[in-house]
Amino acid sequence: MLTSIKTNELQFESQKIGMMYFRVAIILFGAQLLMGLIAATQFLFPSFLFELFDFSVARMVHLNALIVWMLYAMIGSVYYMIPFETGREVVGAAIAKLAFWVLTAAVTVVVLVYIFIQVGPGTEQTLWLIQEGREYIEAPRWADIGIVVVVLIFYFNVFSTYLKGERTGIMTVMVANLFALAGLYLTGMGYTDNISMDQYWWWWIIHLWVEATWEVFVGTLAAFALIRMIGAKREIVEMWLWIEVLMLFGSGILGLGHHYFWIGTPEYWWEIGALFSALEPVPLVAMFVHVLYDWGKEQGIAKAKGQTASIVNNTPAMTWIVANAFGNFLGAGIWGFFHTLPQVNIYTHGTQFTSAHGHLAFFGAYATILIGMMYLAVQSAYGIKIMKSTSLSKWAAFMIMFGVMGMGIALTISGYEQVLVERAELGATWNAFFTAQNLTWMVQGLAWRLVMGVVTFIGFVFLVLDLLSIGKNAQVRERAGV
Ligand code: HEM
Ligand code: HEM
Ligand SMILES: [Fe+2]
């Protein structure tokens, strides 16, 4: 992918800009994993990097890098798909490039400030210059304002290209959804010293991003990718997409209530949150069925025409997109459903079980498909007709998926112990917390999380090596006619 900076065969500026976003995304993904490894080590050996690098900072950078690399890869995906969907070049390529550099410079400064200024007073100045203290989206206010400007430029570009070009169903969903996604960011920029109110609005971003707008985003990516990879029929894919959007918004928006059980919000949220969030797995099943259905159908049609080979023209991308369909259902749907009813959540709230769900869901629903999009972009950058998985692609996919699943299972076991001992048996007191933290079940789970984290990281290194080499190699082979 990096080697394609100068030599790529992308015809459109829009797609070159998409590549710029993908490159930064993969670097931030690496940074996220390194920070996770540091934090996981500190769980087991609290003196690790003592007074040099605080756990709170490692955790904060782990989470912010996660969100930012995903947003970068999402913007990259949009710029990549624009010419395919609208049939034309993006309207303002020059300003889009400028916005990219401004954003990247701002992200670098924000991260350096996080790392160098680890502790300090919580003043107005901290809010403006250092960080806002809202988990996942801690960027200080100056950066918040910068982000809004950059996003406005991005949205202007996408929307005006959409208006001037062809208006496919996929692109219509994309522009409408991006409007909601960007607008929600504003709800996290206000300030209040009431913690309940602060949390109330904070969930508008976190929940309404990952369980409504980001999910719809993934639906459009999957629809687009299925058309590109297996030649799925647009009418069928778009029909699915509309149904999925309806179900995702129908359950996800009021599903917000599952975060309003215990933060001082009115009690009617118990029923609303329970009902609607319990429905959230339904569209995730639909999305899973959709991918498998289209794949089977297109392969069946090809067979009927006497074609024997697989119809997939980019197997690494397909691997990651099928992993997405399944991982979204598993991590978000099943692990989410486990703890979503208030009767259960009163015990599991804020335990390692939550962390297990957080890892499996973010990975299953988002990391997977965004990696898939990178493989699609590499294929286009080298002008390859059929791109097959290499052994590096397979090892990368296997180790990353095995590693993250392993972390999720380890954390689930620790979470069970925490729920049973700390919450149910000992009554959630201060002492109960420490007793539960020190029991073997907890400690072993945390140790396995670290081991599986290392497996994930090795898989990530393979992934980078693969993205750097797969395009060139496939191009050489294809041109030589082998
Ligand atoms: C891709 C979609 C999803 C992602 C990325 C995701 C991610 C997360 C994360 C990171 C947290 C922890 C937040 C914190 O720091 O406190 C969380 C909490 C939660 N999630 Fe999800 N989630 C997703 C979908 C779902 C679904 C579909 C359900 C229900 C069916 C669900 C139910 C919950 C509940 C109940 C909590 C609160 C846990 C607690 O009380 O500690 N999530 N989610
Ligand atoms: C090298 C692999 C990784 C390691 C060692 C690791 C480690 C950690 C640690 C130690 C925490 C803090 C947990 C706590 O405060 O109890 C954390 C939180 C989190 N990580 Fe990771 N992580 C890794 C990879 C990932 C990946 C691939 C994703 C998603 C794509 C992810 C998403 C999250 C989320 C959402 C949280 C917040 C969970 C919550 O507060 O409930 N991590 N991780
Ligand atoms: Fe939620």
Side-chain angles (χ1 to χ4, degrees):
M1 184 159 67
L2 289 176
T3 44
S4 69
I5 291 178
K6 293 247 157 30
T7 58
N8 70 52
E9 300 193 359
L10 296 170
Q11 305 297 320
F12 293 94
E13 284 302 305
S14 184
Q15 296 182 326
K16 291 184 189 160
I17 298 168
M19 269 294 187
M20 290 159 67
Y21 275 98
F22 283 137
R23 284 182 206 117
V24 178
I26 202 88
I27 294 169
L28 286 170
F29 185 18
Q32 181 213 347
L33 296 182
L34 279 177
M35 290 293 154
L37 286 174
I38 294 178
T41 309
Q42 288 172 330
F43 255 99
L44 294 167
F45 310 101
S47 57
F48 180 63
L49 298 182
F50 183 62
E51 289 194 337
L52 266 178
F53 199 61
D54 215 85
F55 168 81
S56 64
V57 181
R59 186 180 192 281
M60 174 169 81
V61 181
H62 180 58
L63 295 187
N64 285 259
L66 160 76
I67 299 294
V68 177
W69 87 252
M70 292 192 167
L71 289 174
Y72 262 74
M74 285 158 80
I75 299 179
S77 304
V78 176
Y79 278 124
Y80 171 67
M81 71 194 262
I82 278 180
F84 288 118
E85 288 297 307
T86 64
R88 68 186 314 272
E89 178 63 279
V90 67
V91 173
I95 190 159
K97 277 190 193 154
L98 180 70
F100 165 84
W101 287 112
V102 171
L103 185 64
T104 307
V107 167
T108 315
V109 174
V110 169
V111 172
L112 289 179
V113 170
Y114 286 166
I115 292 176
F116 287 108
I117 305 181
Q118 299 183 16
V119 279
T123 60
E124 187 79 4
Q125 204 188 356
T126 312
L127 205 70
W128 276 97
L129 300 178
I130 319 286
Q131 56 133 316
E132 284 181 353
R134 290 193 185 93
E135 205 189 357
Y136 301 92
I137 41 166
E138 269 124 324
R141 196 168 279 161
W142 72 265
D144 264 359
I145 295 169
I147 289 169
V148 171
V149 174
V150 169
V151 169
L152 280 176
I153 295 174
F154 168 65
Y155 195 73
F156 161 80
N157 259 337
V158 178
F159 193 61
S160 37
T161 315
Y162 165 76
L163 286 185
K164 288 192 178 158
E166 240 177 87
R167 290 173 217 162
T168 60
I170 292 182
M171 215 49 206
T172 304
V173 174
M174 181 57 92
V175 290
N177 185 54
L178 276 179
F179 186 74
L181 200 162
L184 283 168
Y185 190 75
L186 303 177
T187 61
M189 287 174 61
Y191 176 77
T192 157
D193 52 14
N194 180 319
I195 192 75
S196 293
M197 279 168 68
D198 189 84
Q199 289 277 293
Y200 181 90
W201 290 110
W202 176 75
W203 282 115
W204 273 54
I205 306 192
I206 304 305
H207 172 98
L208 293 179
W209 265 6
V210 302
E211 284 163 73
T213 47
W214 282 30
E215 283 285 6
V216 169
F217 191 97
V218 161
T220 54
L221 288 189
F224 166 79
L226 285 172
I227 296 175
R228 303 269 333 142
M229 288 182 312
I230 61 174
K233 288 271 162 312
R234 184 175 283 274
E235 305 85 74
I236 296 183
V237 169
E238 290 189 344
M239 180 201 68
W240 276 101
L241 182 61
W242 289 112
I243 299 174
E244 284 160 7
V245 169
L246 190 75
M247 290 200 289
L248 284 166
F249 279 142
S251 58
I253 293 177
L254 284 174
L256 176 63
H258 64 192
H259 303 293
Y260 291 164
F261 295 152
W262 331 113
I263 64 166
T265 28
E267 286 172 11
Y268 52 73
W269 283 111
W270 290 349
E271 285 79 17
I272 299 175
L275 176 66
F276 288 93
S277 70
L279 289 173
E280 282 183 49
V282 180
L284 305 183
V285 178
M287 290 165 95
F288 182 44
V289 175
H290 171 182
V291 171
L292 294 188
Y293 168 87
D294 269 1
W295 187 9
K297 180 178 62 79
E298 296 303 329
Q299 189 69 54
I301 293 172
K303 265 210 181 122
K305 286 185 191 152
Q307 187 185 330
T308 45
S310 159
I311 46 151
V312 180
N313 67 24
N314 186 329
T315 44
M318 187 70 183
T319 307
W320 283 103
I321 283 161
V322 171
N324 170 257
F326 183 65
N328 199 354
F329 169 60
L330 190 81
I334 299 198
W335 253 259
F337 184 76
F338 273 160
H339 62 168
T340 205
L341 297 177
Q343 295 89 330
V344 177
N345 191 265
I346 195 167
Y347 293 102
T348 57
H349 183 57
T351 58
Q352 291 301 333
F353 189 87
T354 308
S355 186
H357 159 66
H359 279 87
L360 292 179
F362 261 110
F363 177 76
Y366 303 119
T368 46
I369 198 160
L370 295 170
I371 296 174
M373 292 304 293
M374 291 180 192
Y375 274 109
L376 280 181
V378 167
Q379 182 184 20
S380 303
Y382 286 92
I384 305 161
K385 285 200 196 68
I386 295 183
M387 194 164 99
K388 292 222 171 77
S389 298
T390 61
S391 22
L392 266 180
S393 334
K394 290 178 196 163
W395 274 106
F398 173 71
M399 289 186 78
I400 296 178
M401 290 178 204
F402 183 72
V404 176
M405 269 305 286
M407 286 197 294
I409 291 170
L411 290 171
T412 302
I413 295 173
S414 291
Y416 258 83
E417 183 270 347
Q418 200 180 351
V419 170
L420 289 177
V421 178
E422 177 197 323
R423 302 287 167 91
E425 190 171 345
L426 300 179
T429 61
W430 178 253
N431 266 329
F433 173 77
F434 289 102
T435 308
Q437 289 295 313
N438 291 323
L439 289 184
T440 317
W441 286 102
M442 170 64 78
V443 179
Q444 281 189 353
L446 297 179
W448 276 106
R449 183 258 299 271
L450 180 57
V451 173
M452 287 299 166
V454 173
V455 172
T456 309
F457 189 76
I458 298 172
F460 168 78
V461 174
F462 288 163
L463 175 70
V464 175
L465 293 176
D466 196 42
L467 284 170
L468 289 174
S469 58
I470 188 171
K472 187 106 220 116
N473 294 341
Q475 191 186 50
V476 171
R477 240 175 293 125
E478 207 164 271
R479 298 217 167 139
V482 247

